[in-house]
Amino acid sequence: MVDGYGRIIDYMRISVTDCCNLRCVYCMPESGVRFAPQKSLLTDGEIVRIINAAARTGISHIKVTGGEPLLRDGVTTLIHQVKEIPGIETVSLTTNGILLPECMAELYEAGISSINISLDTLDAKRYRELTRGGVLEHALAGLRTAATYPEMKVKVNAVLDEEHWEEDVMALTYLAKENKVHVRFIEHMPLGIESNETPVAEQDILKLLRQYYGESKPCREKIGEGPGHYFAFPGLVGRIGFISAMSHKFCSECNRIRLSADGKLRMCLQSKDGISLRDIIRNHVSDEELVEIIEKSIRQKPEGHCMNVQRIEAEGMCQIGG
Ligand code: SAM
Ligand code: SF4
């Protein structure tokens, strides 16, 4: 459906767990994270019911995220159920990749068509530091496994570390040299946790890459359903993408809504509270009422975020629907 600012809203990010097996410095505090108790999380049946209702409002693309989504018990069965919902065209996944080698075959069978793997550096020591304990080889094994499925769109998501960005851009871009892996640089967004907050500018990354790979061309082909924009370089098989929420604010084209693991429906990353669809459905609303509630929220989606002047009040992305 169309929101109050004329935007078509067809994309929903659902966080299926707030837990994670890593603690990336820009996403979660090192310790003391308050995970939601099990009974406050949406069950598979509740998620399917909400997506059914959302599909009736025009949502056709689902991104499964977290926390680390592959930590949720039975996540592939849930994904299979979501993929079967009338009106749902694509289901994609964002993961740190660590558990992919053991889940990939089932994810493929369940109908996942696109996987984003978060990988900020190819330097094993800094990967361990940035993720507070992660083993680079495990994430790379996940990436290699995903890349063996020719029909699967595989993207690498990187939030750059200001101090080492040139070296990391060059190493990560190399992943796109011979394989159809798209590498996307995500601008750091200010959450309610402390971390390095100066995003590396898109123009600086493009300038560096042009020196090595030649002139870039903006891509016309559609690579995902989200807000990334992409460039093709002559020497690269994969594309180079940018998600620049701060410097290239894309709110005027935003097509997404978010559902947190405990059932809060948020219209924007920065929406503070969100409406608890969990409480609403546990109070026995009808499917028609649920559709109306989601439609009403979409009509009230804010025009844009103001993260440039105000931080997001959350302890990590997992609290705001990944
Ligand atoms: N655990 C999975 C992963 O890492 O891909 C899925 C959840 S994670 C919250 C989803 C994406 O959010 C990751 O690509 C991560 O890099 C990004 N992210 C987390 N905190 C961020 C921040 N403060 N600014 C920008 N991106 C962030
Ligand atoms: Fe976990 Fe993903 Fe957040 Fe890293 S970015 S702490 S892998 S949820």
Side-chain angles (χ1 to χ4, degrees):
M1 68 175 274
V2 177
D3 75 358
Y5 295 93
R7 299 169 293 196
I8 295 170
I9 308 300
D10 61 0
Y11 180 113
M12 188 176 194
R13 282 180 81 96
I14 60 166
S15 168
V16 294
T17 177
D18 57 354
C19 297
C20 193
N21 43 4
L22 300 179
R23 291 285 181 279
C24 302
V25 291
Y26 48 77
C27 178
M28 280 196 194
E30 184 164 17
S31 58
V33 191
R34 286 168 294 141
F35 295 116
Q38 184 65 31
K39 66 177 184 329
S40 74
L41 300 181
L42 292 175
T43 63
D44 285 8
E46 288 169 337
I47 291 176
V48 169
R49 187 168 171 215
I50 291 171
I51 297 179
N52 250 300
R56 286 173 57 188
T57 74
I59 296 292
S60 52
H61 305 289
I62 300 291
K63 167 79 75 195
V64 177
T65 177
E68 174 45 44
L70 298 181
L71 286 177
R72 183 177 172 116
D73 281 343
V75 71
T76 48
T77 312
L78 172 63
I79 287 169
H80 181 71
Q81 286 175 274
V82 170
K83 188 73 205 307
E84 298 287 290
I85 293 173
I88 298 302
E89 291 169 24
T90 66
V91 184
S92 57
L93 178 80
T94 296
T95 170
N96 58 33
I98 306 279
L99 297 172
L100 264 185
E102 58 213 69
C103 302
M104 192 57 218
E106 278 185 43
L107 288 167
Y108 179 71
E109 287 302 315
I112 288 279
S113 52
S114 168
I115 295 190
N116 298 346
I117 299 171
S118 298
L119 197 52
D120 301 330
T121 178
L122 294 185
D123 179 298
K125 179 168 173 283
R126 280 195 293 107
Y127 180 83
R128 194 170 57 242
E129 287 163 6
L130 281 169
T131 57
R132 299 199 184 97
V135 177
L136 175 67
E137 189 43 46
H138 295 169
L140 287 176
L143 175 62
R144 280 195 292 270
T145 310
T148 59
Y149 288 72
E151 307 88 347
M152 192 69 64
K153 257 184 211 154
V154 181
K155 299 177 206 147
V156 166
N157 280 349
V159 177
L160 291 169
D161 169 11
E162 202 197 359
E163 219 182 303
H164 301 274
W165 72 270
E166 288 170 310
E167 153 191 359
D168 288 338
V169 164
M170 293 311 294
L172 290 163
T173 298
Y174 203 77
L175 295 170
K177 190 160 166 50
E178 272 149 27
N179 306 301
K180 204 164 180 220
V181 169
H182 308 300
V183 178
R184 314 190 308 169
F185 299 107
I186 304 184
E187 238 173 41
H188 178 275
M189 291 179 291
L191 299 179
I193 49 178
E194 281 189 25
S195 60
N196 175 4
E197 286 189 10
T198 317
V200 181
E202 181 177 323
Q203 283 315 318
D204 291 341
I205 298 172
L206 284 172
K207 192 169 156 201
L208 174 68
L209 289 177
R210 282 180 195 131
Q211 287 169 23
Y212 288 87
Y213 293 106
E215 206 38 59
S216 57
K217 277 207 191 98
C219 280
R220 280 166 205 267
E221 85 210 80
K222 199 161 159 48
I223 292 183
E225 308 304 329
H229 57 277
Y230 296 83
F231 293 87
F233 283 87
L236 299 178
V237 176
R239 304 293 183 232
I240 301 300
F242 295 91
I243 301 185
S244 312
M246 308 296 287
S247 62
H248 290 64
K249 213 174 148 184
F250 38 72
C251 303
S252 64
E253 292 157 32
C254 183
N255 61 342
R256 55 174 65 187
I257 59 176
R258 294 167 180 268
L259 183 67
S260 65
D262 61 358
K264 292 214 178 68
L265 180 69
R266 285 190 170 81
M267 292 298 118
C268 172
L269 262 176
Q270 215 173 13
S271 305
K272 202 169 155 223
D273 295 320
I275 167 166
S276 177
L277 294 186
R278 179 200 64 201
D279 293 351
I280 287 168
I281 55 180
R282 288 185 188 175
N283 275 321
H284 313 293
V285 286
S286 69
D287 287 343
E288 275 60 38
E289 285 169 308
L290 187 56
V291 172
E292 274 169 32
I293 289 165
I294 298 174
E295 279 176 348
K296 186 170 170 214
S297 296
I298 291 176
R299 272 195 294 277
Q300 291 169 353
K301 182 173 160 72
E303 187 174 10
H305 73 69
C306 46
M307 286 189 285
N308 307 59
V309 289
Q310 196 185 358
R311 303 169 72 91
I312 302 174
E313 287 181 40
E315 280 176 5
M317 289 288 275
C318 53
Q319 288 191 335
I320 41 182

